[in-house]
Amino acid sequence: MKYSFIKFLLILFWAVLLVQCQKERDEYYKVPDWSSGKPIYETLQDKGNFSKYLQLADKTHYAASLKGNGLWTVFAPNDAAVDAWLKEKGYASVDDVSVSVANKVVAYSMLFNKYRFDQLPHVLNDGWDSLQSVKKRTLYYETIHKEFSGMDSVWVVGPTISNMYSTNENNYKYLPYYLDAYFVESVRLSASDYIMLYPASEYTGKNVQRASVLEQDIVAGNGFIHETDKVNEPLPNFEDILKEADYSMFRSLIEAKNPLGQPYFYQYLTNPSISDYFRKMYPMQNIEEVNIKFYNLPVPLNCERYVSSGSRSTGEGELGGYTLFVPNNEGVQKFYKERLAEYYGEYPAGMAKVPVEIWSYFFNAQMVDGLVYPQQFRLTANFAGDYLNGEGIRGPELNTSVYSDIRPASNGLFYGGNDYIKTSMFETVFSEILLRSKYSMMLNAMAFYFGTTLSTDLMKSQLSGDPDWDYTVLLLSDEQLQREAESPGDGFSWEPLTNAYGFRHSFTDNISFADTRMQRLIRSHVFKRVKSYKLDFNAGNPEYGGYGYAVNEYGDMIRFKDGKVQMLGNYDKAGDSPEDNWVTVTPITSRSFNNGTVYTVDKPLQYSICTDDGVGSCNERPMIDYLQEVAERNPNVSKSVEYLVALLNGSILSLSADAFYTILLPDNASIDQAVADNVISTFASDQVTLTRALAFFQYHILPGTVFVDDGYGQLQMPTGNIAYSQDIATLYKLPLSSTYLTVKKEAGKLFFETYRNPARSFAFVAQGENRSNQFGAKSVIHEIDNYFLPQTE
């Protein structure tokens, strides 16, 4: 019984809602009591100053619609407006106007449904959506036409929506309007925006395309009439504009074809039922087949109806449009010479060598999802996610001397000029990997393993609204990744695997080895910083013998000096010549990058020595080895090392081979003090002594992150973020919680802090080439000048 009552209430709710919606529609379509009841045609006759518009209508079949039933909105130019138009077009009278031209003018002046003037900015779906509509669908559409496909002349029709064609809906053009209620009050635009689009018109706040409404809401039995002071003709769409000679180079790029003659950026699709539909509609045209032409671009150049984000809402066509910033022939040449000639050869021969995907990135940068009025230029991003002006709100306004061809199109707004919109694809450090063919394996690896995450990171710049980042990229050439040489040589290949392309390595058939190694190599050669902490491989720290230190994107420490860089695997080649131990980096200076520096390398950085043993062993040496080497170079930490080696050898302490560590070694004086304070026992290798020392040394090991003493004023994280301090859990765990040390910087010097004991509350690293910033397995090893008491519950 309870559920039946609930069901009744739901049915009642929907019934009331449907009645209300129907009432709204009935109210909308209701003929006002004060209407004459005469149709639009007779109402215009009675007004007396629309005779020439009616003469144009009489040449068309639309006169019947104006005289009959239906619901229409007509923007009717008065006789003075038609006279001015006839003179502008070179006609002596209406009699000289062809039927096809009259059809365009009259159909374009008529809207489906009837709208009072104040209703134009609204969208009628189930009810009124206020202040959204910027244009309305007219009765005018372009039907099938013939064009050369590259092999033959074919019948073509544009899509009725960006990715489909329906015989139930034509590719209707829309009539834009610019009304105070939306244009000024809602989106905060001004008369100057309108005048840039229509320089021969005046902004009145009642503009419909290039015309102004003089008298509004003239009521007829089958609709509303709004008198205009100009004749509006259908606007060309983007495809039409690009046929102009000034944009022939941009157009030719869009029309590029593969060796088989198939276009890259558009396609002709056929459907038997659609071809049959047009054969019946035009029986005298001998139509064999009709092709629907779709563009494989973010903007459907030949589709009149705007659709954003894949929506197919009927009302959405009224809500906006697209915007194109099209380089004219001079602008296309400028783009090629400034950004591509270095990679593909001199203009014009090199243009044929540019891969198709590079041109697609270029197109994306020149296109916008939405209407961009001149005043909105610096606030808007393109399809690539980059600001049109290169900087966003802090950047320049639209330069009308560069983009001098500003006009409305039927499906959006068009800006033509002698420059191009820049994109992160071609301006950032990523562009060198993308455009230079000898780094194709690095490019493939980035896409294969990281999707778009790493490449998107490397494209962060002022263009994308991320002006504070600075990237350093060391480039790995195909030769360096492919060659099979002495250890640490690499033998990668990019080849078909089970279901797709992937990487193999000559050391082993184990695919996971190739995957793991390639991912780590790529990330080992990328450094993310903030601009104020830009990495300079020639700027070392005098406190460390001129060496500088940094942590790469993977999390490993590197050291560098005088343009040479070393990672753990390079350092471990201790028995080889000094040249083999260091990687020489050379900055690319032939061009600039807006978010960092790109270097070539004479060999890869290595995280370990690899062994061609059929298994692919690329593991770091045991931590004990590194600790003992540190003690040999720096006897001042020999006592800490003695404890740690014994703890590791006795398996009392274990360090994961997969984790990063910052290891703090209290100096010998601090160890002596810890013994005197009865915190640990005098060293002995027995179980009791070592077990007592375990918590002490665990508290001096920070897992997860490598913190180097790099001389900067703040902590520099592998993620690129900076911080004044960071609370880091130690290896020592309490039964109910973790324990922590705080990592800080003071005057550029690294120190650590705890609140356990005022006398033992902080410790500085001991600076010196052999004292801190020492290599360990995925680790950095520091000498500190104090010891910490482990936390308790």
Side-chain angles (χ1 to χ4, degrees), residues 154-206:
V154 296
W155 286 103
V156 172
V157 66
T160 54
I161 199 168
S162 58
N163 57 357
M164 64 175 288
Y165 184 89
S166 171
T167 54
N168 296 321
E169 180 182 1
N170 295 305
N171 194 17
Y172 293 107
K173 285 187 180 287
Y174 287 75
L175 180 67
Y177 37 79
Y178 309 86
L179 314 179
D180 277 342
Y182 177 83
F183 198 66
V184 174
E185 296 170 16
S186 181
V187 292
R188 307 297 183 189
L189 297 172
S190 67
S192 64
D193 291 280
Y194 176 80
I195 293 169
M196 283 190 193
L197 296 170
Y198 303 95
S201 296
E202 178 186 356
Y203 180 73
T204 63
K206 296 183 177 182

Side-chain angles (χ1 to χ4, degrees), residues 290-499:
V290 173
N291 296 267
I292 310 159
K293 186 177 183 181
F294 297 102
Y295 280 91
N296 305 319
L297 293 167
V299 172
L301 302 178
N302 60 342
C303 183
E304 303 296 340
R305 180 170 151 190
Y306 170 67
V307 178
S308 67
S309 305
S311 170
R312 293 185 180 180
S313 165
T314 302
E316 189 170 14
E318 301 181 16
L319 305 185
Y322 303 98
T323 304
L324 258 59
F325 291 85
V326 178
N328 58 24
N329 296 341
E330 179 186 347
V332 171
Q333 292 180 44
K334 179 182 180 184
F335 165 71
Y336 182 82
K337 292 174 182 178
E338 289 182 353
R339 283 295 168 257
L340 300 184
E342 177 179 343
Y343 302 95
Y344 302 106
E346 291 299 315
Y347 174 85
M351 291 187 70
K353 302 175 185 178
V354 178
V356 64
E357 61 268 18
I358 301 303
W359 290 123
S360 71
Y361 301 143
F362 174 61
F363 295 146
N364 288 354
Q366 317 309 311
M367 300 180 178
V368 181
D369 183 6
L371 296 173
V372 182
Y373 295 98
Q375 202 173 135
Q376 297 170 325
F377 177 74
R378 66 177 185 160
L379 301 174
T380 307
N382 56 26
F383 270 100
D386 298 314
Y387 281 113
L388 299 175
N389 68 351
E391 297 180 57
I393 195 169
R394 293 170 290 188
E397 302 282 359
L398 176 71
N399 187 341
T400 54
S401 65
V402 172
Y403 286 99
S404 56
D405 183 5
I406 304 174
R407 51 176 142 162
S410 61
N411 47 355
L413 298 178
F414 180 89
Y415 295 78
N418 58 11
D419 207 342
Y420 57 94
I421 301 297
K422 292 178 171 56
T423 172
S424 300
M425 285 285 185
F426 305 135
E427 303 296 325
T428 62
V429 293
F430 176 71
S431 65
E432 188 69 14
I433 304 170
L434 175 69
L435 299 174
R436 190 81 66 184
S437 60
K438 68 179 180 179
Y439 303 118
S440 65
M441 292 190 79
M442 195 173 185
L443 180 65
N444 288 336
M446 289 174 64
F448 186 70
Y449 296 116
F450 308 110
T452 59
T453 56
L454 186 54
S455 58
T456 299
D457 236 16
L458 296 180
M459 287 190 285
K460 287 181 178 178
S461 70
Q462 61 187 20
L463 276 168
S464 60
D466 302 288
D468 298 326
W469 294 114
D470 186 89
Y471 295 87
T472 298
V473 179
L474 310 183
L475 297 170
L476 296 172
S477 69
D478 292 351
E479 180 185 3
Q480 289 165 341
L481 290 172
Q482 288 172 343
R483 68 186 179 201
E484 299 178 32
E486 297 178 0
S487 178
D490 277 299
F492 285 103
S493 59
W494 175 249
E495 60 184 69
L497 301 180
T498 306
N499 297 315

Side-chain angles (χ1 to χ4, degrees), residues 608-619:
S608 68
I609 294 177
C610 290
T611 305
D612 189 359
D613 54 5
V615 177
S617 298
C618 287
N619 299 315

Side-chain angles (χ1 to χ4, degrees), residues 13-177:
F13 168 77
W14 286 112
V16 171
L17 183 63
L18 289 171
V19 169
Q20 181 62 32
C21 291
Q22 187 60 45
K23 284 177 67 179
E24 286 190 23
R25 285 185 170 273
D26 291 344
E27 182 66 25
Y28 165 68
Y29 289 122
K30 178 183 176 183
V31 177
D33 294 336
W34 43 270
S35 167
S36 66
K38 291 182 179 181
I40 292 170
Y41 192 97
E42 291 183 35
T43 302
L44 290 172
Q45 282 182 319
D46 291 347
K47 293 288 288 185
N49 61 333
F50 295 97
S51 61
K52 294 182 179 178
Y53 173 76
L54 293 176
Q55 288 177 47
L56 287 169
D58 287 337
K59 287 175 171 278
T60 75
H61 64 273
Y62 296 107
S65 298
L66 298 176
K67 294 174 181 178
N69 295 322
L71 292 169
W72 314 106
T73 300
V74 176
F75 290 92
N78 58 32
D79 286 343
V82 175
D83 283 338
W85 176 76
L86 293 172
K87 183 178 180 180
E88 177 188 341
K89 296 297 180 181
Y91 297 120
S93 69
V94 173
D95 293 337
D96 295 335
V97 180
S98 68
V99 171
S100 63
V101 171
N103 264 313
K104 285 184 178 182
V105 169
V106 176
Y108 191 63
S109 72
M110 297 177 66
L111 306 182
F112 289 97
N113 298 329
K114 62 173 188 174
Y115 298 95
R116 292 194 316 269
F117 188 78
D118 65 346
Q119 292 172 329
L120 288 173
H122 309 304
V123 178
L124 184 66
N125 286 321
D126 291 331
W128 287 106
D129 296 330
S130 63
L131 295 179
Q132 294 184 36
S133 176
V134 296
K135 58 185 178 180
K136 287 285 189 282
R137 187 174 56 151
T138 71
L139 274 65
Y140 179 71
Y141 64 93
E142 294 180 355
T143 186
I144 57 173
H145 63 278
K146 278 202 163 186
E147 70 180 41
F148 186 65
S149 68
M151 294 178 287
D152 199 3
S153 181
V154 296
W155 286 103
V156 172
V157 66
T160 54
I161 199 168
S162 58
N163 57 357
M164 64 175 288
Y165 184 89
S166 171
T167 54
N168 296 321
E169 180 182 1
N170 295 305
N171 194 17
Y172 293 107
K173 285 187 180 287
Y174 287 75
L175 180 67
Y177 37 79

Side-chain angles (χ1 to χ4, degrees), residues 40 72 374 377 495 538 595 607 626 630 685 769:
I40 292 170
W72 314 106
F377 177 74
E495 60 184 69
N538 289 293
N595 67 339
Y607 56 87
Y626 297 104
V630 166
S685 57
E769 180 181 343

